[in-house]
Amino acid sequence: MARQMPKRNLEKVGLGVTGACVALVTLVVCALIFMVAQKGLSAFFKDGVNVVEFFTGTTWDLHNAQENGMPFTGALPLIVTSFSVMVLSTAIALPVAIGSAIFAVEIQPKFGQKVFQPLIELLVGIPSVVFGLIGFHVIVGAMKAIFNVPTGLGILPGSLVLAIMILPTITTLAIDALRAVPDSYRQGSLALGYTRWQTIWHVVLRSALPSLMTAVILGMTRAFGETLAVRMVIGGIETMPNGLLDAASTITTTLTTSMAVYADGSVQNDVLWSLALMLMGMSLIFILIIHLIGKKGATERA
């Protein structure tokens, strides 16, 4: 009995430390959500910014005032640009990521495990400013030469840079998703007379679909929240874009360039916090979708 007491005390200490860590993380998350929500909602409840105008207005100009003394706070151009860049970059990166994952798992598994996956994971650690510099000097220059435009900045070069940035994330998660499919599924399909490509298409990809969708949404989440690299190639002009090579601005790029300009508590500063609140809300929605997909996939496997 005497020997068991220290173990019990050690167990209590372990439970206390881990419980304190959980409480700390929960406190930080709740405090973060509360702070952003409080400041973001101040623009509507304290300053009187019209909610409908904020989401549907097409003029964003915090420097100049309207007739009622309020700045122009139409965030629709920023919202449209953010979603355009996110969707286009995902559409560019997804086929390459899925094709690479299929090759690394189903066609050349030894090469994929020993060479390709470590190589693609190296891209995750490259700072975003490096991608931005490459995009500014290579992709923007290519846009000028190909389309004969004066600047080469816009949604298309921003999407190409983001596609390269999210490619390692989607590819790595897709590889893990395909490897998680039991070999018995493949063997059973081949025993029934399916070819290897039919097995990959009808069995492997279908079984891994929930995990693949999670990989895509994680890539979209990163694309939606990326700032520095996009800022260097998109132009930074807060107007409604009319084409893929029109200079524009996303929610994140506007936040980074404008937050330090206005005094804390001003209407302009509160409106920027509203953008941050909307950005956080979209991230929470993406996380919720991931959990729902994971829960559905677990239910189907059961």
Side-chain angles (χ1 to χ4, degrees), residues 96-153:
V96 180
I98 299 299
S100 301
I102 292 174
F103 181 85
V105 177
E106 304 295 332
I107 310 302
Q108 292 290 337
K110 291 184 179 180
F111 170 81
Q113 186 173 7
K114 294 181 179 180
V115 179
F116 179 74
Q117 189 168 6
L119 184 64
I120 199 71
E121 288 176 351
L122 288 176
L123 294 176
V124 179
I126 297 178
S128 60
V129 66
V130 176
F131 288 103
L133 287 172
I134 295 174
F136 183 78
H137 290 285
V138 177
I139 297 178
V140 171
M143 295 296 107
K144 292 180 183 179
I146 295 173
F147 298 101
N148 194 24
V149 291
T151 64
L153 304 173

Side-chain angles (χ1 to χ4, degrees), residues 233-246:
V233 297
I234 201 171
I237 298 179
E238 294 146 347
T239 57
M240 182 68 75
N242 296 317
L244 296 179
L245 288 174
D246 288 342

Side-chain angles (χ1 to χ4, degrees), residues 73 79 89 98 129 139 148 150 163 172 180 199 231 243 261 276 279 281 296:
T73 57
I79 298 172
S89 62
I98 299 299
V129 66
I139 297 178
N148 194 24
T172 302
T199 299
R231 177 66 180 85
V261 176
L279 189 65
K296 182 180 179 181

Side-chain angles (χ1 to χ4, degrees), residues 15-31:
L15 289 174
V17 171
T18 54
C21 293
V22 172
L24 178 61
V25 172
T26 304
L27 179 63
V28 170
V29 173
C30 293

Side-chain angles (χ1 to χ4, degrees), residues 249-261:
S249 181
T250 63
I251 296 175
T252 53
T253 56
T254 297
L255 284 173
T256 55
T257 55
S258 302
M259 184 59 77
V261 176

Side-chain angles (χ1 to χ4, degrees), residues 5-275:
M5 290 300 295
K7 293 182 179 180
R8 291 180 179 178
N9 292 335
L10 184 61
E11 184 178 353
K12 291 180 180 179
V13 172
L15 289 174
V17 171
T18 54
C21 293
V22 172
L24 178 61
V25 172
T26 304
L27 179 63
V28 170
V29 173
C30 293
L32 178 64
I33 294 175
F34 176 78
M35 175 182 175
V36 176
Q38 182 186 32
K39 288 183 171 293
L41 294 175
S42 296
F44 307 113
F45 293 101
K46 186 188 75 173
D47 303 318
V49 175
N50 189 285
V51 178
V52 177
E53 180 184 350
F54 178 80
F55 285 101
T56 61
T58 58
T59 303
W60 178 272
D61 186 0
L62 301 183
H63 297 288
N64 299 313
Q66 307 179 53
E67 295 180 356
N68 57 5
M70 299 290 290
F72 294 91
T73 57
L76 185 60
L78 310 180
I79 298 172
V80 170
T81 303
S82 296
F83 277 95
S84 299
V85 170
M86 179 189 68
V87 172
L88 186 57
S89 62
T90 305
I92 295 172
L94 182 58
V96 180
I98 299 299
S100 301
I102 292 174
F103 181 85
V105 177
E106 304 295 332
I107 310 302
Q108 292 290 337
K110 291 184 179 180
F111 170 81
Q113 186 173 7
K114 294 181 179 180
V115 179
F116 179 74
Q117 189 168 6
L119 184 64
I120 199 71
E121 288 176 351
L122 288 176
L123 294 176
V124 179
I126 297 178
S128 60
V129 66
V130 176
F131 288 103
L133 287 172
I134 295 174
F136 183 78
H137 290 285
V138 177
I139 297 178
V140 171
M143 295 296 107
K144 292 180 183 179
I146 295 173
F147 298 101
N148 194 24
V149 291
T151 64
L153 304 173
I155 293 176
L156 181 58
S159 300
L160 290 173
V161 171
L162 273 181
I164 299 173
M165 293 183 65
I166 67 176
L167 182 61
T169 301
I170 301 178
T171 303
T172 302
L173 294 175
I175 289 174
D176 294 337
L178 296 182
R179 282 186 181 153
V181 177
D183 288 335
S184 59
Y185 288 13
R186 299 177 178 87
Q187 295 170 3
S189 175
L190 294 173
L192 291 174
Y194 275 32
T195 64
R196 181 171 63 176
W197 289 107
Q198 288 174 328
T199 299
I200 292 172
W201 180 259
H202 294 287
V203 178
V204 177
L205 290 179
R206 183 168 297 181
S207 300
L209 185 59
S211 298
L212 292 176
M213 293 179 64
T214 299
V216 173
I217 294 175
L218 284 174
M220 294 173 67
T221 303
R222 183 181 181 187
F224 193 76
E226 182 57 42
T227 305
L228 184 57
V230 180
R231 177 66 180 85
M232 298 174 69
V233 297
I234 201 171
I237 298 179
E238 294 146 347
T239 57
M240 182 68 75
N242 296 317
L244 296 179
L245 288 174
D246 288 342
S249 181
T250 63
I251 296 175
T252 53
T253 56
T254 297
L255 284 173
T256 55
T257 55
S258 302
M259 184 59 77
V261 176
Y262 303 102
D264 189 23
S266 63
V267 179
Q268 293 86 347
N269 186 267
D270 291 339
V271 170
L272 292 173
W273 276 104
S274 299
L275 289 179

